[in-house]
Amino acid sequence: MTSSPPRSHTQHMAFLAGAAAVNAVHSLAEITRASGNLFAGTLAGTATRAAHPVGLVTHGVRWVGTMAQRRQPEWHLPHRTVLRTPFAHVHDFSPAGADHGVVPTLVLPPQAGHSSHVVDFAPGQSQLAVILDAGLTRLYAMEWRAATAETRDVTITDYLDVVDRAIVLAGGRVNLVGDCQGGWLAAIYAALHPERVHTLTLAGAPIDFHAGESVIAASTRVLTHGLGMAPYRALVALNGGNMSGRAVLANFIAMQPQAEIGRQLQLLAHLDDPAHVERYRVFEDWFKHTQDIPGAFYLWLVEHLFHGNELIDGRLIVAGCRADLANITCPLFLLAGARDHITPPPQLFAAADVVGTPPSDVVQRTAEGGHLGLFTGSRALEDDWPVLMADVYAHSTSGLARGA
């Protein structure tokens, strides 16, 4: 299979212009809705505060202060760190008495300018907890560390090597789970080392980077159309050799500014609701706590994946070896978000057409929400992940697992 038919520069520009227009309309709608609530006096306590200017000012100061407060993301489930490198840690979440007859599972979180704690987002809202509940109790997860001056030259081969080291620690063969960018990394690893991957689960992961309609794909093609990699190299150089996590965050917000506007205005509306404020803080603590990405790794992925789209049609070469997705023959589980604007479902589901896995062993599932909802949303964690992980567990305890 080849990659999706290329769109013209004009088509990409038209798509981006259309997306910007839609965002402007939605952003204005959020502001209008909040303004209507304000003047109608339906914001909690607003009507009373309007009659007492000092109270209104105090409320505003609390609002701004709450938006500015940050706590560092942290793991919620018990674990021990079994491998440390300058750019990645491996944590063992296996509980006491874990079933050693079950194939181990390794989770690769996203690596896109945010912390890896998204896979253990909050108590009662944890992808890792769902995996444990499915019976996959030999559980490991990678934690991607913030890039520094010392790790700016870390490459794709370094990332693949640390994944391999983690799998060796786990016993040499695992159920590999990859979220978003952790997903394409998992797919590349599985293509290069199929004997080490018992099952492969990919969620919100771009495999055909040019499929569907995506702001990331279109903007990359527009930027590289006449300037090549120069804009990306400049961004990395301006940040001392690493890609700025803050810049990545700004790009994510710019893709759907109405979400950011709505979230902050909803906080204003519910500032006296402790439960709402806590939910807001949990998300903001993770979303706004950014970390830099190693520059060499970032430039490689932009050139070969986002721009070149070399993975889907077997052109990707890593350390002299071709990452041919046809080498993947293990059971494959694909989870996409119906409203995912970061990784549209066609970018993920394209994997089913190129792997060597028999169609009967490929599961494609679509969750109701968007991109982050795949990893943190209650619907996906209650309705989608348990079903997929139950299937993975069945493969991990049956005769299929005996060679693990």
Side-chain angles (χ1 to χ4, degrees):
M1 176 181 174
T2 58
S3 60
S4 301
R7 295 179 175 87
S8 68
H9 182 69
T10 301
Q11 288 174 313
H12 288 306
M13 291 291 291
F15 171 74
L16 291 174
V22 169
N23 286 340
V25 170
H26 288 169
S27 297
L28 182 60
E30 288 288 351
I31 295 171
T32 301
R33 181 162 45 250
S35 299
N37 288 339
L38 177 64
F39 288 116
T42 57
L43 291 178
T46 296
T48 301
R49 293 187 189 94
H52 300 86
V54 174
L56 189 59
V57 170
T58 301
H59 192 72
V61 170
R62 284 179 56 211
W63 178 46
V64 173
T66 303
M67 285 192 288
Q69 290 176 357
R70 293 287 178 274
R71 299 169 299 193
Q72 185 166 338
E74 60 182 17
W75 300 106
H76 301 282
L77 291 174
H79 63 280
R80 61 190 181 94
T81 304
V82 294
L83 176 64
R84 296 177 186 269
T85 78
F87 64 95
H89 290 174
V90 179
H91 303 301
D92 182 355
F93 290 84
S94 307
D99 185 355
H100 286 274
V102 176
V103 176
T105 299
L106 173 63
V107 178
L108 304 185
Q111 164 65 318
H114 296 91
S115 79
S116 300
H117 300 84
V118 67
V119 298
D120 189 27
F121 187 66
Q125 202 172 352
S126 168
Q127 181 186 355
L128 296 183
V130 172
I131 295 173
L132 289 171
D133 288 343
L136 297 163
T137 51
R138 296 176 64 191
L139 178 60
Y140 300 79
M142 195 74 69
E143 179 185 353
W144 308 119
R145 308 290 291 176
T148 65
E150 289 71 30
T151 61
R152 63 187 180 186
D153 295 325
V154 166
T155 65
I156 180 64
T157 54
D158 295 315
Y159 273 82
L160 292 169
D161 177 69
V162 79
V163 171
D164 191 65
R165 293 172 64 186
I167 291 175
V168 169
L169 275 173
R173 194 159 181 251
V174 300
N175 299 307
L176 195 55
V177 178
D179 295 341
C180 187
Q181 291 199 346
W184 60 250
L185 183 64
I188 293 173
Y189 180 87
L192 294 172
H193 305 283
E195 74 284 355
R196 292 198 182 277
V197 181
H198 183 67
T199 67
L200 179 62
T201 303
L202 308 177
I207 300 300
D208 182 347
F209 287 73
H210 296 173
E213 292 190 333
S214 162
V215 170
I216 293 177
S219 60
T220 301
R221 301 297 289 279
V222 167
L223 273 176
T224 56
H225 177 71
L227 299 173
M229 289 292 295
Y232 297 96
R233 292 195 181 99
L235 282 173
V236 168
L238 286 171
N239 196 49
N242 290 315
M243 181 58 191
S244 166
R246 291 184 179 180
V248 175
L249 171 65
N251 286 334
F252 280 135
I253 292 175
M255 277 188 257
Q256 284 195 337
Q258 64 271 21
E260 177 73 15
I261 293 170
R263 189 163 57 252
Q264 307 310 333
L265 293 178
Q266 281 294 312
L267 173 65
L268 176 61
H270 299 92
L271 197 56
D272 294 321
D273 178 354
H276 181 92
V277 171
E278 179 59 21
R279 288 194 300 271
Y280 168 89
R281 282 179 170 163
V282 167
F283 180 80
E284 290 283 292
D285 288 344
W286 175 79
F287 190 53
K288 300 291 175 63
H289 184 88
T290 60
Q291 60 184 44
D292 292 352
I293 303 169
F297 172 73
Y298 175 78
L299 292 174
W300 179 90
L301 71 91
V302 171
E303 179 178 0
H304 294 281
L305 301 182
F306 285 100
H307 172 59
N309 202 24
E310 297 172 9
L311 178 59
I312 189 65
D313 55 12
R315 292 182 294 117
L316 184 66
I317 305 295
V318 180
C321 298
R322 189 163 70 97
D324 188 351
L325 295 177
N327 292 337
I328 299 173
T329 58
C330 65
L332 176 66
F333 302 89
L334 305 173
L335 178 62
R339 298 193 302 275
D340 191 338
H341 67 292
I342 303 293
T343 305
Q347 291 191 2
L348 171 64
F349 290 152
D353 297 326
V354 295
V355 295
T357 303
S360 59
D361 282 336
V362 177
V363 175
Q364 300 182 59
R365 189 177 180 94
T366 303
E368 291 185 2
H371 190 71
L372 286 177
L374 288 173
F375 321 121
T376 67
S378 57
R379 295 297 297 272
L381 293 174
E382 293 172 3
D383 298 340
D384 299 297
W385 281 103
V387 174
L388 294 179
M389 293 300 100
D391 284 348
V392 171
Y393 177 78
H395 282 285
S396 301
T397 56
S398 68
L400 293 173
R402 291 174 186 164

